Amino acid sequence: MRSIDVGFALNVPDDEALGAKMAAVFDRHGVAYTADGAVMLTIPQQEGADGLVDAIDRVVAGAAFLRDLVQAGL
């Protein structure tokens, strides 16, 4: 998981046994797959004085996502 302009880019393991657990967590947090196959947890953006800024606290959103992954056994 690494921070990018619009949220977090995620590296997803190719372990089919984890698929259902990951899908449930991803659904709860709005994780999306881009056209080029990237997996992203997007953070809503809003217009700020110098361009787009996070509309919510990305640290809080990222921590909630990670807690949910851990609670799911991932």
Side-chain angles (χ1 to χ4, degrees), residues 12-36:
V12 180
D14 291 332
D15 187 341
E16 291 180 20
L18 302 177
K21 288 181 180 180
M22 285 190 335
V25 173
F26 285 9
D27 286 347
R28 282 194 294 276
H29 292 273
V31 172
Y33 292 83
T34 66
D36 63 357

Side-chain angles (χ1 to χ4, degrees), residues 13-68:
D14 291 332
D15 187 341
E16 291 180 20
L18 302 177
K21 288 181 180 180
M22 285 190 335
V25 173
F26 285 9
D27 286 347
R28 282 194 294 276
H29 292 273
V31 172
Y33 292 83
T34 66
D36 63 357
V39 184
M40 295 179 25
L41 171 61
T42 57
I43 300 297
Q45 302 291 298
Q46 65 187 20
E47 197 64 41
D50 295 321
L52 292 177
V53 296
D54 292 349
I56 64 170
D57 188 329
R58 78 172 44 221
V59 174
V60 171
F65 177 70
L66 289 175
R67 271 193 307 274
D68 209 359

